């Protein structure tokens, strides 16, 4: 039996060490990703002991990139992005510009080339979607307004970085990289050709892919074979990524992203995400391990001030810029702190961009090590930064008059206009939340000509409702001022269509203080929360699973009776 098995050796050591260090990181209340990066450092050539096969690690990392970006595409929702576009789009673009300027400025002070400084700044400007989603889920705010804004912000960042990955190779020569620079005419011609190829690939995926891939999933699902379905999903991701690179000169990352985005159009998208999740996460681990293998720990000893500067830009500079932009867009201090804490780290796109920059001769190797050091430290401290957001808000609120004003910024959407009809001011239904559930409730009320006032955190939804002639106020309904503006004191009913039980209890307390006879209707997805609310006499409680079971049972009994 042969003893030279580099692939098996690399996989065994990478998975085994990543598991041990990932568990250790989780025990220390750190993201497991920190453990994966540390495993790569220990397996890399810059630390003593066993050294894994770097070439194999690189190829496995490419598969990891494909599957990571495929997962991002599967979860990319244009509707979710459009719902927060007025804050996520300008906020993300301006924050990328500010962070890139900070990173490029400090790189220029170190006498780096223009191209190296630009790549370095861009790598520091984009946060990790993986880290963000796991952090928001851990704090139970992924589906909150603040969570949706943070996710939308990162989606814009990811899309911007996809564009950077496309444009950087043809621009490398002009920026001082290895690519030949044969003059302005050649540069513009190369750029035009690159954009033409990318446009052709995107058009092919949006027109042909939307028709073919969902039908292919349907056909394979009809076999009833789970392994064939999983194989189809993974084959689509890897094959499209490879084909995009070979035929259109598009990066693996972009090809896999569009494969996931197109598959999202299928009714099997949720199943595709579930079935491919174990494989995606396994290769994501290999990606982070391979990134760790590139890190030289000596940079922490030899260049501590540079590392400190990088961490400062990521954790402090980006956060302050993001918070300022959110406040300028008239969102409250709470939203500004959550978004800024969410962005105080860097991750997978930074690694991909750094690797591309080194391969193009733009970014020096020490720059890649500084980026990796910044990522490791920022990811490790991000849970602490996130937990500090709420105490910081409380401290600022008690010590700063300006902070109290920022928590409730002057906003014309925060109160009903003077021209609001009397029917919306007395005997109306106050509807908290205008998401998937709230929108359907509002539609039913409108069909029966029942007046209602919507209280919603998303200013863009409030603007849209008012433009359509509806009555709506912008703000967090846990704040008594928001319910007062919705005229809760004279309302007939409070309907809470958001799933957050803690917020619900505070809303009901405010409503009953101002209107002791008001009737309340609440939704929840958790039996324990439903029991808690019932004990506190929170009104009529609708548990999602119970209502679904009742509806299906009524249908079964009705059809069974007719069949008999």
């Amino acid at each position: 039996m042969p003893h030279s098995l580099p692939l098996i050796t690399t996989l065994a050591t990478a998975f085994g060490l990543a598991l041990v260090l990932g568990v250790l990181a989780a025990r220390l209340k750190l993201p497991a990703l920190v453990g994966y990066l540390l495993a790569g450092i220990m397996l890399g050539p810059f630390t003593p002991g066993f050294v894994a096969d770097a070439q194999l690690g690189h190829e496995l990392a490419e598969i990891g990139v494909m599957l990571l970006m495929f997962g991002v595409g599967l979860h990319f929702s244009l509707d979710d992005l459009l719902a927060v576009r007025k804050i996520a789009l300008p906020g993300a673009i301006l924050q990328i510009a500010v962070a890139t300027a900070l990173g490029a400025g400090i790189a220029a002070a170190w006498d780096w080339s223009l191209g190296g400084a630009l790549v370095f700044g861009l790598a520091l400007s984009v946060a990790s979607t993986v880290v963000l989603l796991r952090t928001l889920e851990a704090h139970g705010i992924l589906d909150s307004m603040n969570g949706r804004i943070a996710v939308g912000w990162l989606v814009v960042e990811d899309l911007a970085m996809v564009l950077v990955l496309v444009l950087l190779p043809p621009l490398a020569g002009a920026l001082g990289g290895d690519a030949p620079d044969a003059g302005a005419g050649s540069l513009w011609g190369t750029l035009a050709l690159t954009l033409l190829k990318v446009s052709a690939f995107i058009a092919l995926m949006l027109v042909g892919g939307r028709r073919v891939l969902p039908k292919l999933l349907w056909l394979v699902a009809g076999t009833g074979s789970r392994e064939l379905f999983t194989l189809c999903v993974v084959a689509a991701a890897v094959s499209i990524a490879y084909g995009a690179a070979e035929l259109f000169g598009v990066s693996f990352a972009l090809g896999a992203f569009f494969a996931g985005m197109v598959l999202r159009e299928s009714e099997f998208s949720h199943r595709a995400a579930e079935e491919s999740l174990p494989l995606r996460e396994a290769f994501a681990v290999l990606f982070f391990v391979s990134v760790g293998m590139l890190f030289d720990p000596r940079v922490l000893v030899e260049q501590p001030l540079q590392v400190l500067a990088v961490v400062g830009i990521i954790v402090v500079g980006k956060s302050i810029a993001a918070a300022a932009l959110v406040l300028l867009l008239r969102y409250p201090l709470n939203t500004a702190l959550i978004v800024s804490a969410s962005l105080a780290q860097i991750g997978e796109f930074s690694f991909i961009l750094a690797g591309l920059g080194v391969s193009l001769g733009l970014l020096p190797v020490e720059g890649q090590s500084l980026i990796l050091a910044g990522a490791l430290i920022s990811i490790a401290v991000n849970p602490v930064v996130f937990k500090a957001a709420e105490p910081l808000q409380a401290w600022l609120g008690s010590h700063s008059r300006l902070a109290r004003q920022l928590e409730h910024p002057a906003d014309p959407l925060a109160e009903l206009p003077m021209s609001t009809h009397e029917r919306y001011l007395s005997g109306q239904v106050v509807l908290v939340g205008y998401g998937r559930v709230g929108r359907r409730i509002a539609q039913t009320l409108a069909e029966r000509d029942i007046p209602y006032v919507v209280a919603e955190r998303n200013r863009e939804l409030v603007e849209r409702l008012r433009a359509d002639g509806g009555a709506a106020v912008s703000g967090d309904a846990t704040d008594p001022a928001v319910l007062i503006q919705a005229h809760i004191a004279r309302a007939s009913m409070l309907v809470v269509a958001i799933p957050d039980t803690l917020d619900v209890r505070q809303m009901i307390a405010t409503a009953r203080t101002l209107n002791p006879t008001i009737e309340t209707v609440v939704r929840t997805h958790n039996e324990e929360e439903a029991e808690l609310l019932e004990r506190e006499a929170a009104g009529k409680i609708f548990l999602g699973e119970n209502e679904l079971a009742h509806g299906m049972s009524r249908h079964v009994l009705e059809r069974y009776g007719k069949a008999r």
Side-chain angles (χ1 to χ4, degrees):
M1 184 175 180
H3 295 285
S4 179
L5 299 171
L7 177 59
I8 295 177
T9 304
T10 301
L11 288 174
T13 53
F15 279 134
L17 196 55
L19 173 63
V20 173
L21 295 179
V23 170
L24 182 60
R27 289 292 183 125
L28 296 174
K29 306 299 182 183
L30 295 173
L33 190 150
V34 173
Y36 307 153
L37 291 170
L38 289 174
I41 294 171
M42 294 179 66
L43 294 175
F46 304 105
T47 54
F50 174 78
V51 177
D53 190 308
Q55 181 59 38
L56 277 176
H58 176 72
E59 292 188 20
L60 292 172
E62 288 287 2
I63 300 176
V65 169
M66 293 182 201
L67 295 178
L68 265 176
M69 294 308 301
F70 177 69
V72 172
L74 272 176
H75 291 95
F76 175 75
S77 171
L78 188 59
D79 291 338
D80 290 345
L81 178 58
L82 291 176
V84 294
R85 67 188 182 282
K86 290 189 177 179
I87 180 174
L89 191 59
I93 292 174
L94 289 172
Q95 180 257 312
I96 288 174
V98 171
T100 300
L102 290 173
I106 198 169
W110 298 334
D111 294 327
W112 290 9
S113 67
L114 172 63
L118 182 61
V119 172
F120 187 71
L122 286 168
L124 300 186
S125 71
V126 58
S128 167
T129 307
V130 174
V131 173
L132 172 74
L133 292 176
R134 290 177 180 174
T135 303
L136 293 177
E137 286 177 348
H139 287 80
I141 59 173
L142 181 59
D143 293 325
S144 69
M145 189 60 222
N146 290 340
R148 290 198 294 270
I149 289 173
V151 172
W153 193 298
L154 253 72
V155 167
V156 176
E157 285 191 353
D158 288 351
L159 292 176
M161 289 305 112
V162 166
L163 185 61
V164 169
L165 293 176
V166 169
L167 295 179
L168 198 58
L171 287 172
L175 294 173
D178 293 337
D181 182 13
S186 175
L187 171 63
W188 290 111
T190 303
L191 272 177
L193 181 61
T194 301
L195 291 175
L196 182 63
K197 288 181 177 180
V198 172
S199 300
F201 169 71
I202 293 174
L204 179 64
M205 290 300 297
L206 294 180
V207 176
R210 276 185 171 180
R211 296 179 180 178
V212 175
L213 287 180
K215 289 182 179 178
L216 180 62
L217 273 185
W218 174 269
L219 179 66
V220 175
T223 65
S225 172
R226 182 173 179 176
E227 60 268 25
L228 281 177
F229 185 87
T230 304
L231 179 61
C232 178
V233 172
V234 175
V238 176
S239 300
I240 291 175
Y242 178 76
E246 287 294 314
L247 301 177
F248 297 94
V250 174
S251 67
F252 290 136
L254 182 62
F257 173 79
F258 270 93
M261 198 173 76
V262 169
L263 279 180
R264 183 182 169 83
E265 300 291 323
S266 169
E267 60 187 84
F268 292 103
S269 61
H270 291 293
R271 183 180 170 188
E274 288 181 9
E275 298 289 351
S276 63
L277 182 61
L279 193 62
R280 285 191 285 121
E281 292 198 335
F283 275 96
V285 169
L286 291 177
F287 167 70
F288 291 118
V289 170
S290 67
V291 167
M293 290 172 63
L294 302 173
F295 177 61
D296 187 351
R298 289 178 298 181
V299 73
L300 298 173
V301 178
E302 297 173 356
Q303 297 177 298
L305 294 180
Q306 286 91 330
V307 172
L308 191 61
V310 170
V311 174
I313 291 173
I314 298 169
V315 177
V316 180
K318 280 174 60 179
S319 298
I320 292 175
L325 290 169
V326 172
L327 293 174
L328 285 174
L329 293 169
R330 287 187 169 182
Y331 278 78
L333 181 62
N334 173 260
T335 300
L337 292 175
I338 292 298
V339 171
S340 62
S342 301
L343 301 175
Q345 39 83 14
I346 60 173
E348 56 274 4
F349 259 118
S350 303
F351 304 149
I352 296 170
L353 192 57
L356 180 62
V358 171
S359 68
L360 293 173
L362 293 172
L363 185 70
V365 176
E366 69 171 294
Q368 188 175 37
S369 293
L370 288 172
I371 290 169
L372 293 173
L376 268 169
I377 296 171
S378 65
I379 291 171
V381 303
N382 191 247
V384 178
V385 173
F386 214 96
K387 287 180 181 178
E390 189 173 340
L392 178 60
Q393 180 189 354
W395 185 86
L396 289 172
S398 62
H399 290 79
S400 170
R401 182 179 177 184
L402 176 61
R404 291 191 291 272
Q405 291 175 343
L406 291 174
E407 187 55 45
H408 306 289
D411 185 358
L413 297 178
E415 56 186 38
L416 290 176
M418 296 296 292
S419 58
T420 303
H421 196 278
E422 178 65 26
R423 70 193 298 260
Y424 295 105
L425 307 180
S426 180
Q428 82 283 12
V429 173
V430 174
L431 176 60
V432 177
Y434 198 72
R436 290 187 293 267
V437 175
R439 193 175 297 115
R440 286 169 171 79
I441 296 173
Q443 183 179 355
T444 302
L445 294 175
E447 289 171 353
R448 288 159 177 76
D449 197 30
I450 298 173
Y452 63 92
V453 177
V454 173
E456 168 61 50
R457 295 180 182 180
N458 190 336
R459 297 182 76 257
E460 297 172 35
L461 288 179
V462 174
E463 287 179 350
R464 195 182 312 160
L465 285 166
R466 289 195 180 183
D468 293 338
V473 293
S474 172
D476 186 348
T478 57
D479 179 4
V482 174
L483 291 180
I484 290 171
Q485 286 299 325
H487 288 250
I488 194 71
R490 299 172 63 189
S492 63
M493 186 178 294
L494 171 67
V495 179
V496 183
I498 62 173
D500 195 330
T501 307
L502 294 176
D503 287 350
V504 166
R505 296 163 69 188
Q506 192 169 343
M507 293 173 200
I508 293 175
T510 300
R512 288 180 175 169
T513 300
L514 299 170
N515 187 345
T517 62
I518 193 169
E519 184 177 349
T520 58
V521 179
V522 177
R523 64 171 282 204
T524 182
H525 291 293
N526 186 289
E527 290 187 7
E528 293 179 357
E529 291 176 349
E531 292 176 3
L532 177 63
L533 290 168
E534 286 175 355
R535 285 201 301 268
E536 297 183 358
K540 179 64 177 176
I541 314 296
F542 285 89
L543 179 61
E545 289 80 1
N546 284 353
E547 298 309 312
L548 179 61
H550 290 161
M552 293 180 71
S553 299
R554 283 196 299 270
H555 178 77
V556 170
L557 293 174
E558 180 182 336
R559 299 301 299 171
Y560 182 77
K562 288 181 178 179
R564 295 278 290 188

